[in-house]
Amino acid sequence: MATTIGYLGPKGTFSKIAVDSMFNGEIKKGYKTIPACIDAIEKNEVSYAVVPLENTIEGTVNLTLDNIIQTENIKIVSEVIVPIRQHIMVHPSNVAKWKEVTAIYSHPHAIAQCHRFLRNQFSHLEAQSMTSTGAAAEYVSNHPKEISAAIANHLAAKEYGLSIVEKDIHDFENNHTRFIVLHKQETALTSNKLEEKGYKTTITVALPSDRPGALHQVLSAFAWRNLNLSKIESRPMKTGLGNYYFLIDIEQKMDNVLIPNAIAEIESLGCTVNVLGSYPYYLHSGNGVTLAV
Amino acid sequence: MATTIGYLGPKGTFSKIAVDSMFNGEIKKGYKTIPACIDAIEKNEVSYAVVPLENTIEGTVNLTLDNIIQTENIKIVSEVIVPIRQHIMVHPSNVAKWKEVTAIYSHPHAIAQCHRFLRNQFSHLEAQSMTSTGAAAEYVSNHPKEISAAIANHLAAKEYGLSIVEKDIHDFENNHTRFIVLHKQETALTSNKLEEKGYKTTITVALPSDRPGALHQVLSAFAWRNLNLSKIESRPMKTGLGNYYFLIDIEQKMDNVLIPNAIAEIESLGCTVNVLGSYPYYLHSGNGVTLAV
């Protein structure tokens, strides 16, 4: 039986780019929300789920974290980092007159990310909000007579038969979204298509109480072992404002000595530690954009 | 002349709740995106701008941070923390039959936040996406014959004349959004309506290079001075993947000795420090919800 992969749909979104870069012939099923996607793993509707963790267009990291942390048995087994590249695209019959478009559609976050481009090139138009960049591309594809454009990624252009007329119109370079692959077993998922960039171990640490210097003590346990932390982020706990836990990425594969010892010491300080996964990460090239003009 | 305040529109959003709690008779102008809102201050179209910084429905913190950090002269002068409470509401003529609604509309993030409620009570329906919770409320208000519901906040119910039929339907309690007030002068903005919960100083610290233990050294400068850090978050720099700066909230008002000395020491380690503001923060009660059933 083919493996089923859940992802944050619809087609033509950055989530789908991440899924396609990690999985080949499997059945891919789009879900409307992040919790629905994570639910689907819990209920064994899907074997893997691909959801955004950081810096995303379609959803927020909070929803992903809140929902993983509630589950006992779901682990992060892989990560794909996808460059967020936004392009402007029109129906093929409107390529020649694309600068005269009368409407531009996209997701509100994508519109915000292309603020400078829109202000410089189309200051007379007000971009119209759609529920996703994919939905915007679909609308433009279905209304060729309207002479409208969508802001979306190259996969959306392909899925909906649109022509990209100007590429990389987003304001900031080096904008990426981290997508994580979730699974019920702790078995790392390796890619045969992408080059491995490294290995990470992600943990959460809840401090016993909000006292000055507690975090400093926790970091000492990593620092003197030369364990490099590539990310540290405080997140509000669900027990009330002002209580935080920390999400920490250790730039190393889980071993038998260093990381377990650091965790044991942190726990002996009264902290609660939860290992969310130890997994390889991959960088998507972001290539595949063809200009129509 | 009345002061003009910019905020992330439309009416009936959580941003508007934050604005109304801080400002009284002034002119309030809704902007479609966070960058447009911040642009408006730079161009002196507005004197203050209220934008979400963390854990938000309508936008992402990344857009806010990216855009503040690009500006030299815009400071955080106040903060309002608003509880994110989602309610289900219908047209007043449909209150009696609200359990038979045939469609539910909301913003995709709000739909995701009410995942369990929807699964338990309306598993036969698929919630429909709108561009904002306010837009969903407006639609339901304009289509009384459809027997539909919107998921939105109490302000949206009031703005669009809808009746709340079940309150607090979101999955997680203690869900809040931090809204910051931006201004061109470094003058703290105090509220005469809300109780002051404390004072914060927010700084960014860019480490000279990605080496193990660098962050630990930075935190030492705060720890031995008993300066409590209520938030620390690594953020990707725009110079490429793997380069991070840190966003740090110090739970104290800027003084003449402790914080400046800590910053001077951190800078002498080769770090770049930027003070985004020193400001009071307020907690909105979240009250004002009236049930129709």
Side-chain angles (χ1 to χ4, degrees):
Chain A
M1 204 183 84
T3 311
T4 308
I5 323 295
Y7 69 98
L8 183 65
K11 293 189 297 179
T13 61
F14 288 98
S15 294
K16 186 62 166 38
I17 290 180
V19 173
D20 287 347
S21 73
M22 285 302 288
F23 297 96
N24 267 322
E26 295 86 350
I27 302 162
K28 293 161 187 173
K29 195 170 168 192
Y31 287 86
K32 284 219 165 178
T33 66
I34 291 170
C37 213
I38 295 175
D39 255 18
I41 295 204
E42 287 228 81
K43 292 186 196 148
N44 297 316
E45 267 177 47
V46 299
S47 298
Y48 292 92
V50 179
V51 288
L53 183 65
E54 189 180 325
N55 188 23
T56 168
I57 298 277
E58 290 89 359
T60 63
V61 62
N62 301 340
L63 271 171
T64 299
L65 269 177
D66 282 352
N67 281 278
I68 306 175
I69 283 164
Q70 299 287 316
T71 64
E72 285 286 308
N73 53 349
I74 293 179
K75 294 288 174 188
I76 306 175
V77 295
S78 202
E79 180 181 282
V80 193
I81 302 162
V82 179
I84 300 299
R85 297 176 60 182
Q86 304 286 3
H87 317 299
I88 187 161
M89 52 194 70
V90 298
H91 191 275
S93 63
N94 293 327
V95 167
K97 50 193 163 188
W98 79 271
K99 290 198 175 172
E100 291 120 59
V101 293
T102 54
I104 297 174
Y105 299 94
S106 195
H107 186 276
H109 292 186
I111 294 170
Q113 288 183 327
C114 302
H115 177 69
R116 289 182 204 166
F117 170 84
L118 291 170
R119 191 181 52 191
N120 292 339
Q121 305 277 317
F122 294 98
S123 59
H124 58 291
L125 289 183
E126 187 167 36
Q128 303 296 311
S129 293
M130 290 274 184
T131 56
S132 71
T133 52
E138 188 176 15
Y139 179 89
V140 168
S141 174
N142 291 337
H143 297 80
K145 297 225 168 110
E146 199 185 298
I147 317 188
S148 58
I151 296 172
N153 64 36
H154 72 275
L155 188 61
K158 200 175 142 201
E159 291 273 5
Y160 298 106
L162 299 181
S163 304
I164 296 174
V165 286
E166 189 152 334
K167 66 177 182 174
D168 295 324
I169 62 165
H170 46 280
D171 291 344
F172 296 103
E173 278 307 315
N174 292 309
N175 204 357
H176 296 80
T177 294
R178 291 174 60 189
F179 289 93
I180 49 174
V181 183
L182 301 172
H183 188 47
K184 272 199 173 171
Q185 273 102 49
E186 225 171 319
T187 321
L189 180 78
T190 52
S191 166
N192 52 16
K193 292 194 252 182
L194 302 172
E195 195 197 342
E196 187 180 307
K197 301 301 276 185
Y199 230 90
K200 268 181 216 172
T201 302
T202 299
I203 64 171
T204 61
V205 178
L207 303 183
S209 64
D210 185 35
R211 57 193 165 93
L215 176 62
H216 180 248
Q217 259 184 303
V218 167
L219 295 185
S220 298
F222 296 108
W224 74 259
R225 286 182 174 85
N226 273 352
L227 290 168
N228 192 21
L229 307 184
S230 57
K231 179 189 172 82
I232 173 162
E233 188 174 334
S234 52
R235 312 277 322 160
M237 297 222 284
K238 298 296 158 192
T239 50
L241 263 190
N243 297 332
Y244 283 85
Y245 70 90
F246 290 88
L247 181 74
I248 294 175
D249 281 356
I250 307 161
E251 196 74 7
Q252 195 166 303
K253 193 173 181 170
M254 177 61 87
D255 64 342
N256 293 321
V257 181
L258 289 174
I259 300 180
N261 285 6
I263 290 175
E265 278 171 26
I266 293 167
E267 286 177 331
S268 76
L269 294 172
C271 299
T272 309
V273 181
N274 186 11
V275 180
L276 299 186
S278 188
Y279 51 91
Y281 64 94
Y282 301 93
L283 178 61
H284 191 280
S285 71
N287 288 337
V289 185
T290 316
L291 270 187
V293 286
Chain B
M1 203 184 86
T3 311
T4 308
I5 324 295
Y7 68 98
L8 183 64
K11 291 188 300 178
T13 60
F14 288 97
S15 293
K16 186 62 166 36
I17 290 181
V19 174
D20 288 345
S21 74
M22 286 299 290
F23 296 96
N24 267 323
E26 294 86 350
I27 302 162
K28 294 162 186 172
K29 194 169 169 193
Y31 287 85
K32 284 219 165 180
T33 67
I34 291 170
C37 215
I38 295 174
D39 255 18
I41 295 205
E42 288 228 80
K43 292 186 198 149
N44 297 317
E45 266 177 46
V46 299
S47 298
Y48 292 92
V50 179
V51 288
L53 182 64
E54 189 180 326
N55 186 23
T56 167
I57 298 275
E58 289 90 358
T60 64
V61 61
N62 302 340
L63 272 171
T64 300
L65 270 177
D66 281 352
N67 281 278
I68 306 175
I69 284 166
Q70 300 288 317
T71 64
E72 284 285 310
N73 53 348
I74 293 178
K75 294 290 173 187
I76 307 175
V77 294
S78 201
E79 179 180 283
V80 193
I81 301 162
V82 179
I84 299 300
R85 298 176 60 183
Q86 303 286 3
H87 316 299
I88 187 161
M89 53 194 70
V90 297
H91 192 275
S93 62
N94 292 328
V95 168
K97 48 193 166 189
W98 80 270
K99 290 198 175 173
E100 292 120 60
V101 293
T102 54
I104 297 175
Y105 299 94
S106 195
H107 185 276
H109 292 186
I111 294 169
Q113 288 183 328
C114 302
H115 177 69
R116 289 181 204 167
F117 169 84
L118 291 169
R119 192 180 52 191
N120 292 338
Q121 306 276 319
F122 295 98
S123 58
H124 58 291
L125 290 182
E126 188 167 38
Q128 304 296 309
S129 293
M130 290 273 184
T131 54
S132 71
T133 53
E138 187 176 16
Y139 179 88
V140 168
S141 173
N142 291 338
H143 296 80
K145 297 228 168 106
E146 198 183 298
I147 316 189
S148 58
I151 296 172
N153 65 36
H154 72 274
L155 188 62
K158 198 175 144 202
E159 292 272 5
Y160 298 106
L162 299 182
S163 304
I164 296 174
V165 286
E166 190 153 332
K167 66 178 183 175
D168 295 325
I169 62 165
H170 45 280
D171 292 344
F172 295 103
E173 278 307 317
N174 292 309
N175 205 357
H176 296 79
T177 295
R178 291 174 61 188
F179 288 94
I180 50 174
V181 182
L182 301 172
H183 188 49
K184 272 199 172 171
Q185 273 103 48
E186 225 172 318
T187 321
L189 180 77
T190 53
S191 166
N192 51 15
K193 293 194 251 182
L194 302 172
E195 195 197 340
E196 186 179 308
K197 302 299 277 183
Y199 229 91
K200 268 180 217 173
T201 302
T202 299
I203 64 171
T204 60
V205 178
L207 302 184
S209 64
D210 185 34
R211 58 191 162 95
L215 176 61
H216 179 249
Q217 258 184 303
V218 167
L219 295 185
S220 298
F222 297 108
W224 76 259
R225 287 182 173 87
N226 272 352
L227 290 169
N228 192 21
L229 307 183
S230 57
K231 180 190 171 81
I232 172 161
E233 188 176 335
S234 51
R235 312 277 324 161
M237 297 222 286
K238 297 296 160 195
T239 50
L241 264 190
N243 297 333
Y244 285 84
Y245 71 89
F246 290 88
L247 181 73
I248 294 175
D249 281 356
I250 306 161
E251 195 73 9
Q252 195 168 303
K253 192 172 180 170
M254 177 62 88
D255 65 340
N256 292 321
V257 181
L258 289 174
I259 301 179
N261 285 6
I263 290 175
E265 279 172 27
I266 293 167
E267 286 177 332
S268 76
L269 294 172
C271 298
T272 310
V273 180
N274 186 9
V275 180
L276 299 186
S278 189
Y279 51 92
Y281 64 95
Y282 300 93
L283 178 61
H284 191 279
S285 71
N287 288 338
V289 185
T290 317
L291 269 186
V293 286

